[in-house]
Amino acid sequence: MNYEDFKTIITESFPQLCPEQLEQFAAMDMLYRDWNSKINVISRKDIDQLYSHHVLHSLAIAAFLKYQMPEAFEAFISGVKVNGGRLKVLDLGTGGGFPGIPLAVLFPEVDFTLCDSIGKKTIVASGVAASLGLKNVKVVNARAESLDESFDYIVSRAVTSLDNFMPWVKGKYSEGILYLKGGDLVEEIATAMGKFRMRKGSVHTWGIDNWLQDEFFEQKMVIFIEK
């Protein structure tokens, strides 16, 4: 997928995008190619699918919010919580900046903290965020357990199984978790729900192929875990 194909999809899905945001998305291809030549965070064969496999995959979280949680989507657009104050999101295990950087471009009024325990990956995320001029992004090289800050939402992209992930974020969010994961998730979700005594109906799954008709997104999900 090239940028023009990507642009067609996102301008239809998110018509509020302004020219500056589109320029930021357009710049991602060159930036990630440049950084990837120095610090490999995306596989060599996958870099040609940056927009579909990484940027659009990240923005599936925004599509889920728009179509399944419209009030939350409006809060992300405005950046203001229901009770006032600026919305804060933690991207845990961000790697080179996914899903945090595409979401930060789409939601410029939201404060994003991008966290990864591997230093070279945060160097890439920091460099891309700086080149894109993202004032709403902070990148930290740390383990989740060491963060002493709390957030409204946590986003992440398949960093581990849910039963491993949940202890890392305990007490760090007030609204919910938006987690990108693929495959047959029934057993994984059931295990996490039993282990952490999540209430019935607090975990929701949404197939990304409801939004994007592409075989890459078959069996790929947004998992939303309510607080």
Side-chain angles (χ1 to χ4, degrees):
M1 176 181 290
N2 60 29
Y3 171 70
E4 290 303 320
D5 294 332
F6 167 80
K7 180 181 176 182
T8 298
I9 293 170
I10 60 164
T11 51
E12 288 177 357
S13 300
F14 308 111
Q16 77 279 2
L17 285 164
C18 70
E20 181 184 1
Q21 289 168 296
L22 293 174
E23 288 171 10
Q24 289 171 319
F25 281 123
M28 286 182 186
D29 183 68
M30 182 188 71
L31 286 171
Y32 274 106
R33 286 181 187 278
D34 182 47
W35 274 107
N36 217 50
S37 68
K38 298 178 245 182
I39 301 174
N40 187 225
V41 292
I42 299 172
S43 71
R44 303 294 183 188
K45 64 178 182 179
D46 221 26
I47 194 70
D48 290 331
Q49 298 299 326
L50 176 78
Y51 284 112
S52 57
H53 292 188
H54 299 280
V55 184
L56 275 180
H57 192 199
S58 298
L59 294 178
I61 287 175
F64 167 79
L65 290 170
K66 178 178 179 179
Y67 298 120
Q68 301 296 309
M69 299 175 61
E71 289 185 7
F73 181 75
E74 289 304 317
F76 270 77
I77 292 291
S78 68
V80 180
K81 296 185 281 189
V82 174
N83 61 352
R86 193 164 163 117
L87 202 65
K88 293 166 58 179
V89 175
L90 170 66
D91 173 10
L92 187 56
T94 190
F98 301 105
I101 285 178
L103 291 172
V105 171
L106 187 64
F107 300 122
E109 302 304 321
V110 176
D111 287 329
F112 285 85
T113 297
L114 278 53
C115 176
D116 203 286
S117 61
I118 300 175
K120 69 177 184 178
K121 292 183 178 181
T122 60
I123 290 171
V124 175
S126 295
V128 172
S131 294
L132 293 175
L134 296 177
K135 306 299 184 185
N136 60 329
V137 169
K138 175 175 71 174
V139 181
V140 294
N141 176 205
R143 299 186 67 84
E145 302 91 325
S146 69
L147 298 177
D148 57 6
E149 193 175 353
S150 60
F151 302 86
D152 300 296
Y153 291 90
I154 293 176
V155 300
S156 192
R157 186 168 73 146
V159 293
T160 186
S161 63
L162 284 172
D163 63 322
N164 287 332
F165 185 79
M166 295 304 293
W168 298 350
V169 298
K170 184 178 180 181
K172 298 191 185 301
Y173 63 98
S174 61
E175 297 296 330
I177 297 169
L178 293 152
Y179 200 73
L180 294 166
K181 197 85 192 284
D184 185 353
L185 300 170
V186 174
E187 186 175 341
E188 181 175 336
I189 291 171
T191 298
M193 289 187 73
K195 188 173 182 179
F196 302 107
R197 299 181 180 179
M198 298 179 193
R199 71 184 185 279
K200 187 176 181 180
S202 64
V203 181
H204 311 265
T205 60
W206 183 74
I208 298 173
D209 57 5
N210 286 310
W211 176 46
L212 299 168
Q213 302 303 310
D214 185 305
E215 65 180 65
F216 175 76
F217 294 107
E218 291 177 7
Q219 290 196 309
K220 286 186 169 57
M221 303 279 182
V222 178
I223 304 172
F224 175 60
I225 302 172
E226 297 176 14
K227 177 63 177 176

